[in-house]
Amino acid sequence: MVSLSGKIWAAVTGLALLLAAAGGGYYAYKTLDSRTGTDIVISGKDEGRVVTRRSKVELPGAGGEVVVKEEVSSETEDLSISKEEAEKVEMPYAADYFAQRLTDDEATVCRQIYKGITDREETIYIKNDVVSSEDICQLIVMVVTGSPEIDYIDTNYSVQVDADGFASAIFMTYTRSAEDSEIRNMLTEQAIDHIYAGMVSDWTDFQKYKYIHDALVKNCYYYEADGDCYTAYGCLVGGNAVCEGYSKALMLLCDKAGIPCLPVIGQGINEDGTAQGHIWNKVMLDGEWYASDITWDDPVFESSENYLRYDYFSVTDEEMSRNHVQDDNKFIIEPACAATECDYYRYYGYFAQTVDDAEDAFRNAVRDAMANGEEYARVKCSDRECFDATLNWVFGDGTGNEDLFGMIKQGISDNPDFGYKASGYSVINNVVTYNISIRLKK
């Protein structure tokens, strides 16, 4: 047994230590199969040792407080643009989705804020007697988070408040010029067009979303390099991002593909029970909403270059809530996610309701993975009982499962050009989402 601590890679004689992000750790060991004389690599689990990425979020007024720059009389003239003018302001999909679920006056203020920011106004006047000074931060967070192209405002700002406690103006500062933003937007659009060029127009929503998901995971590295890591530009152009950058990039790509996509602001729960600010998404696939965390589907452990996860691809609210907690924001009303038809594992037949289903699920997963030259075959279990039993089935008697070896040998016979080996497999498991993957040898 090896003690696992933090994010590590260890290689010693006969032992290769690997860690899986955000779900059960594992260690692989090598034994000699006396029957065949070949090396067999299988895995033993060491649950509770995992690697999770930091969930960095940079939002305006993230501390929940704003500075009251000045207090004015409640009778101060309303200098904001009119409701009629505000109704002509077109906001991005997510900001507009949230605004449509507010009162008419609150929606007007949303559009006033959005127009003021996009026009780079240093003083943004908003409709009087609508939003209190205590709530203005939440509204700004909603507008900015729902507008993925806005990445040029300072996270600190101040407000003008009247004697009754209502905000009547916001004083903003901007971190880059309109000219700089125009160049960045152009480069971001080029990156989006490059990704979108590989998409087939008559694909289903599921197929389009899987393509987008895979493109982001393959082309972006989770890394807090600089301020750009919080932006779609950092994710799509720079190739480095944290959760906020992934989320914004996803929203832009989904918008291009005609897939409704919303941000979810909250906390990601680490394996030690601590929470960190985090942003993930909700996407509508074939008419139903699903929760999705593309950041947590991008592994950060060593040797994970070719590992694509689908543990948080398209799940229910219940599944996501196991280690994600949404923040309270009175202006963000999210749709419920309860559908399972576009769950990645159910969609492809890699889902096991009971341990009796596991063999069929793995047969489908191994067949498809090897037909496509992929390194991993994945299944998902319905609950912890099924997960534990399936994991034991995968481990076999400590030298591997004969049925799984049979599937691998069949895959080698059917796909001789990919260079697969029948000498063994290793296991990655996520005890939170009940996912089990086997890594095929090449």
Side-chain angles (χ1 to χ4, degrees):
M1 180 64 68
V2 175
S3 174
L4 307 183
S5 177
K7 178 182 177 184
I8 58 177
W9 167 263
V12 296
T13 303
L15 176 67
L17 176 63
L18 305 175
L19 294 176
Y26 65 94
Y27 62 95
Y29 59 89
K30 183 180 293 187
T31 61
L32 187 66
D33 186 344
S34 59
R35 294 165 295 177
T36 63
T38 58
D39 286 341
I40 299 295
V41 178
I42 49 178
S43 295
K45 58 183 176 177
D46 188 7
E47 293 178 3
R49 298 292 188 177
V50 298
V51 176
T52 52
R53 64 208 31 77
R54 291 172 295 171
S55 300
K56 294 290 185 178
V57 179
E58 186 174 76
L59 296 175
E65 298 179 359
V66 294
V67 176
V68 177
K69 184 172 183 178
E70 59 182 299
E71 183 174 299
V72 297
S73 167
S74 300
E75 305 301 321
T76 299
E77 179 184 1
D78 191 335
L79 299 175
S80 64
I81 62 172
S82 68
K83 178 180 179 180
E84 292 70 27
E85 290 178 280
E87 288 175 346
K88 298 176 183 178
V89 175
E90 294 185 5
M91 296 192 298
Y93 174 81
D96 187 67
Y97 176 95
F98 294 135
Q100 289 182 25
R101 283 147 183 82
L102 306 181
T103 67
D104 288 344
D105 284 344
E106 289 169 343
T108 294
V109 174
C110 287
R111 289 176 168 78
Q112 290 169 341
I113 293 173
Y114 177 77
K115 184 178 187 303
I117 292 175
T118 54
D119 289 348
R120 281 181 166 74
E121 296 175 358
E122 293 183 358
T123 302
I124 303 172
Y125 293 102
I126 61 176
K127 184 175 176 59
N128 293 347
D129 303 326
V130 176
V131 183
S132 70
S133 60
E134 290 81 10
D135 293 337
I136 190 63
C137 174
Q138 291 189 35
L139 188 58
I140 294 173
V141 166
M142 183 274 271
V143 173
V144 173
T145 309
S147 306
E149 80 283 7
I150 295 177
D151 62 5
Y152 47 83
I153 64 170
D154 197 314
T155 55
N156 298 313
Y157 58 91
S158 53
V159 298
Q160 176 178 280
V161 179
D162 67 23
D164 293 328
F166 288 99
S168 55
I170 304 165
F171 303 93
M172 283 283 185
T173 55
Y174 301 93
T175 57
R176 65 178 60 92
S177 68
E179 291 75 16
D180 286 344
S181 289
E182 185 176 353
I183 294 173
R184 290 164 62 91
N185 290 341
M186 179 187 68
L187 294 173
T188 301
E189 282 297 323
Q190 289 176 355
I192 290 172
D193 289 343
H194 178 73
I195 293 174
Y196 194 74
M199 190 179 295
V200 179
S201 60
D202 62 355
W203 277 352
T204 64
D205 287 349
F206 178 94
Q207 292 171 317
K208 291 178 181 178
Y209 187 63
K210 181 180 181 297
Y211 176 83
I212 291 170
H213 170 280
D214 293 357
L216 284 180
V217 171
K218 291 176 181 178
N219 295 314
C220 186
Y221 179 70
Y222 184 90
Y223 182 63
E224 189 183 4
D226 51 36
D228 283 342
C229 69
Y230 299 99
T231 69
Y233 173 87
C235 182
L236 293 167
V237 180
N240 295 302
V242 293
C243 60
E244 191 172 348
Y246 279 88
S247 176
K248 290 178 177 178
L250 181 64
M251 291 164 67
L252 291 177
L253 283 164
C254 284
D255 185 62
K256 180 81 171 180
I259 296 174
C261 182
L262 303 171
V264 184
I265 308 166
Q267 307 289 312
I269 310 302
N270 298 321
E271 68 276 10
D272 61 0
T274 60
Q276 292 179 311
H278 190 42
I279 296 182
W280 59 101
N281 295 90
K282 291 192 173 185
V283 294
M284 180 184 283
L285 304 177
D286 299 329
E288 299 286 351
W289 284 101
Y290 296 84
S292 184
D293 189 343
I294 199 163
T295 311
W296 278 21
D297 266 352
D298 193 354
V300 295
F301 61 90
E302 285 80 355
S303 81
S304 65
E305 180 180 355
N306 299 317
Y307 182 44
L308 277 171
R309 298 205 324 169
Y310 298 95
D311 297 5
Y312 301 94
F313 175 82
S314 51
V315 301
T316 64
D317 285 335
E318 186 279 323
E319 291 173 299
M320 193 66 84
S321 68
R322 295 171 193 169
N323 51 13
H324 292 65
V325 179
Q326 183 178 336
D327 286 350
D328 290 330
N329 185 316
K330 65 184 296 183
F331 302 107
I332 296 180
I333 302 174
E334 298 279 1
C337 299
T340 58
E341 288 80 1
C342 286
D343 174 285
Y344 172 86
Y345 297 90
R346 288 177 171 89
Y347 189 92
Y348 286 113
Y350 309 155
F351 181 77
Q353 185 67 39
T354 68
V355 68
D356 293 334
D357 302 325
E359 184 172 347
D360 286 339
F362 265 111
R363 181 171 287 106
N364 294 337
V366 170
R367 177 200 64 214
D368 292 350
M370 298 184 76
N372 293 316
E374 297 172 356
E375 195 172 355
Y376 296 90
R378 314 163 179 82
V379 303
K380 179 178 179 177
C381 299
S382 61
D383 54 30
R384 182 60 188 265
E385 180 180 0
C386 176
F387 171 82
D388 287 340
T390 301
L391 205 54
N392 288 332
W393 179 85
V394 169
F395 293 147
D397 59 1
T399 57
N401 183 287
E402 288 298 331
D403 292 328
L404 270 177
F405 279 119
M407 297 173 199
I408 294 170
K409 291 174 182 177
Q410 183 63 52
I412 292 173
S413 175
D414 294 340
N415 308 280
D417 296 334
F418 287 125
Y420 288 107
K421 298 179 181 179
S423 57
Y425 57 84
S426 54
V427 179
I428 303 170
N429 67 84
N430 188 333
V431 72
V432 177
T433 57
Y434 310 140
N435 296 107
I436 303 170
S437 300
I438 65 170
R439 185 178 188 179
L440 304 165
K441 291 192 67 178
K442 284 191 176 184

